[in-house]
Amino acid sequence: FFVWSVGLNEVLSNIERFGILGFAVILVIYLGRLIFRATAWKLSVYEPFRLSLRDTFPAVIIGEAMSAMIPLGILISGTSKAVAVRRRVPLVVGLSSVATENLFYSFVTSGFLALGALTFVRNFQLDQGWTLTIDVLIGILILLVIALIMMIVKQWHFASETCELLYRRGVARGLLEHGRSEVRLFENLIYGFYRRHPKRFLPICLCEAGFHALGVLEVWFILGRLMEFASPMNAFLLESLSRLITIIFKLIPFLIGVDEAGAEFVAETVAIGAGIGVTLAIIRKGRILFWTAVGLVLIIKRGLSPR
């Protein structure tokens, strides 16, 4: 629909202008982003267990592939990463380290999204409804960050306490007989990291920030090949909105349609043209398809079954 609305010939012309060499460059840029996430995860594992970059990097690619293909893949992504390294560390350790890295990712991403939303609202004329919506989203992000910090500082054991309550009431007693202790261990491993390795906080946050910085660089590079002048500010706004859309609409495999809609909206608002926005989203979707294919090859090579 969005390709048709801006004109098929315009989109094809933009893609031709971007070229195969340009596509190769953004594949390399995304490779760097994956390495940042894999390094952050590697730093989230602590003794007596250990994961190397050779363990976490292919697992991150597998997780990204699962996340892109499957509705609500964000719930499956972390589990598939832990399964991918199950021969290196126990499953509960893999899951807790993924959750630890995701907490850092959520913290840094919230700041990135809030900064992007504030910049967008304060620098461009928007309808009152859009301004109110974005302000509400900023408020929600701030509350989520506060909740995450409180959960870690207070060491709230929501999951294990819920399992304990269900067990005492006779719900799924066979499953929870041993499962509740695993859930408690999962939470303790997460909270133990924050107590024992505070010096790793900054390196992990820098890795997460590097992930987003390369995302902005990717957008800036694409715009630079499609336009005479590409503004870093526009690249930042397009990437921050794209990340927000990725989070909200993760239910939709490959973000079909919604990514194009968001890019078109921002592109029109910052006056770079709807055609450029839609082309940007399609080019990045090609990058997603490439790395998803790599993830599928890794899954097949490792013999991971659907179960």
Side-chain angles (χ1 to χ4, degrees), residues 3-14:
V3 170
W4 186 264
S5 67
V6 301
L8 177 60
N9 289 334
E10 180 180 352
V11 173
L12 290 176
S13 176
N14 287 336

Side-chain angles (χ1 to χ4, degrees), residues 250-265:
K250 205 60 178 177
L251 175 65
I252 302 174
F254 297 108
L255 299 175
I256 294 175
V258 293
D259 209 11
E260 288 78 4
E264 182 185 40
F265 169 69

Side-chain angles (χ1 to χ4, degrees), residues 13 29 35 45 51 67 164 207-208 246:
S13 176
I29 291 174
I35 291 173
V45 182
L51 289 175
S67 178
E164 197 66 44
C207 286
E208 307 294 7
T246 299

Side-chain angles (χ1 to χ4, degrees), residues 118-140:
L118 282 170
T119 304
F120 194 51
V121 169
R122 301 298 175 253
N123 289 277
F124 297 95
Q125 283 293 113
L126 299 173
D127 292 338
Q128 188 64 33
W130 277 112
T131 303
L132 178 62
T133 300
I134 292 174
D135 285 340
V136 170
L137 286 174
I138 293 172
I140 292 173

Side-chain angles (χ1 to χ4, degrees), residues 12 14 16 20 24 27 59 100 105 107 119 124 128-129 148 150 156 181 242 247 283 291 299:
L12 290 176
N14 287 336
E16 184 179 3
I20 295 176
L27 292 180
T100 299
Y105 175 78
F107 180 75
T119 304
F124 297 95
Q128 188 64 33
L148 284 174
M150 290 295 295
W156 291 333
S181 60
S242 173
I247 294 170
I283 288 172
W291 283 108
I299 290 172

Side-chain angles (χ1 to χ4, degrees), residues 18 20 34 89 106 113 120 141 165 200 217 235 247:
F18 184 68
I20 295 176
L34 293 173
V89 296
S106 300
L113 295 180
F120 194 51
L141 287 172
L165 178 64
R200 295 191 190 181
L217 176 64
I247 294 170

